[in-house]
């Protein structure tokens, strides 16, 4: 099957309309009724034009819904989410619902083979932005793990920006094993950082380390006002200062 045929759904108006209903009229009211959501750093999305990769830490099934519903619709309208094929694509009903709520595509964890192989590259080349959780799976403790290099490799090879996002409080609100957010509308925060772009001559490990450090600093300090130095140490910034593409991206 050609890349154009495999990715046709991601460009269809009827699917975009159904996604709007699923994400904005169903999922958003549910998320906002069960958690207290705040967003910081939206200004960093202002100049984004064309395809990009949104990367976030991953500790809860709230993570993708928060990204899809709390960020501006102009950012999420065409956003496609990399999802684990072994979890979300085992049954037709599950993959269909995931498609409408998250505009998903399947990725084989730890492999570049399977039905979703090459989809990340194809979608980005066709102008479709991606949502990727580079840890590869949800944290079992709430602590952020090191990022796998797939998202950084895609950005470096295709010259697209990485938008770092730190999700704070999602693990406490709905940890692994929970089927619904805890009662009491626990606070969660979506923090958007400055876009990260590959520097001239920058190696993949260095770019991935820089991306990981940015998200980790925002997550730890719970703010987008952070500076990450070349040796990956982070400090809080004054508020006035304001080719190889891998598929291990699930």
């Amino acid at each position: 099957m050609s890349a154009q045929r495999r990715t046709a759904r991601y460009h269809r108006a009827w699917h975009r309309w159904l996604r709007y209903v699923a994400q904005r009229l169903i999922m958003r009211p549910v998320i906002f009724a069960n958690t207290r959501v705040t967003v910081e750093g939206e200004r960093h999305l202002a100049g984004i034009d064309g395809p990009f990769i949104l990367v976030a830490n991953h500790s809860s099934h709230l993570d993708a819904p928060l990204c899809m519903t709390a960020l501006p619709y102009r950012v999420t309208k065409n956003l496609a989410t990399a999802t684990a094929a072994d979890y979300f694509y085992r049954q037709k009903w599950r993959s269909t619902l995931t498609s409408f709520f998250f505009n998903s595509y399947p990725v084989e964890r730890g492999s570049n083979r399977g039905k979703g192989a090459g989809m990340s590259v194809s979608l980005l080349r066709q102008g479709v932005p991606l949502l990727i959780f580079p840890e590869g799976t949800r944290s079992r403790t709430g602590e952020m793990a090191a990022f796998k290099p797939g998202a950084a490799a895609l950005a470096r090879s295709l010259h697209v920006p990485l938008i770092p996002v730190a999700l704070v409080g999602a693990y406490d609100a709905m940890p692994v094993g929970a089927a619904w957010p805890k009662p009491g509308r626990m606070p969660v925060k979506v923090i958007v950082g400055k876009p990260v772009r590959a520097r001239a001559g920058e190696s993949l490990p260095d770019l991935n380390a820089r991306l990981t450090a940015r998200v980790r600093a925002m997550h730890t300090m719970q703010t987008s006002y952070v500076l990450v130095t070349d040796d990956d140490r982070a400090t809080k910034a004054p508020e006035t200062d304001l080719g190889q593409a891998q598929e291990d991206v699930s």
Side-chain angles (χ1 to χ4, degrees):
M1 185 184 298
S2 69
Q4 290 290 341
R5 287 186 61 190
R6 288 202 305 164
T7 59
R9 168 175 69 77
Y10 302 90
H11 304 280
R12 288 175 178 154
W14 67 265
H15 199 276
R16 188 179 305 115
W17 182 83
L18 288 176
R19 292 199 310 267
Y20 179 86
V21 172
Q23 294 173 0
R24 295 286 161 160
L25 303 185
I26 298 175
M27 188 162 61
R28 179 184 169 94
V30 171
I31 297 298
F32 279 62
N34 287 275
T35 60
R36 287 186 287 118
V37 182
T38 57
V39 181
E40 180 185 313
E42 277 190 45
R43 68 192 182 284
H44 293 138
L45 299 168
I48 297 300
D49 184 26
F52 57 86
I53 305 173
L54 201 73
V55 293
N57 59 296
H58 197 21
S59 63
S60 171
H61 274 323
L62 279 176
D63 296 339
L66 284 169
C67 291
M68 285 294 183
T69 62
L71 297 178
Y73 180 64
R74 66 174 182 80
V75 173
T76 64
K77 178 172 64 174
N78 297 311
L79 192 64
T81 306
T83 55
D86 61 326
Y87 185 90
F88 291 101
Y89 281 78
R90 288 182 299 180
Q91 295 115 345
K92 181 64 176 177
W93 67 267
R94 190 193 298 268
S95 63
T96 300
L97 287 176
T98 305
S99 166
F100 288 131
F101 280 93
F102 304 109
N103 198 26
S104 61
Y105 66 97
V107 174
E108 302 288 347
R109 287 192 269 200
S111 172
N112 61 1
R113 298 180 298 274
K115 67 177 77 174
M119 283 287 285
S120 298
V121 174
S122 296
L123 289 169
L124 286 171
R125 283 178 173 165
Q126 294 170 25
V128 178
L130 306 182
L131 168 60
I132 293 176
F133 297 101
E135 289 165 274
T137 189
R138 288 172 294 160
S139 169
R140 268 48 182 175
T141 64
E143 296 296 319
M144 195 182 112
F147 284 178
K148 295 181 179 181
L154 287 165
R156 182 170 176 264
S157 297
L158 300 179
H159 308 290
V160 298
L162 294 151
I163 310 300
V165 173
L167 301 170
V168 179
Y171 177 82
D172 293 329
M174 188 176 170
V176 174
W180 196 258
K182 294 178 181 178
R185 295 191 70 222
M186 299 187 68
V188 293
K189 191 172 185 180
V190 181
I191 305 171
V192 184
K194 293 178 63 176
V196 174
R197 298 176 184 270
R199 297 165 177 162
E202 185 174 25
S203 69
L204 176 57
D206 286 348
L207 174 59
N208 190 53
R210 191 158 57 90
L211 175 65
T212 304
R214 179 71 58 82
V215 177
R216 191 187 301 279
M218 293 193 304
H219 185 262
T220 300
M221 299 175 184
Q222 300 189 21
T223 180
S224 62
Y225 298 111
V226 295
L227 297 175
V228 180
T229 61
D230 289 339
D231 58 0
D232 295 338
R233 290 174 298 181
T235 57
K236 188 169 182 180
E239 297 196 2
T240 53
D241 293 328
L242 296 186
Q244 176 181 339
Q246 303 176 17
E247 282 290 344
D248 57 339
V249 295
S250 63

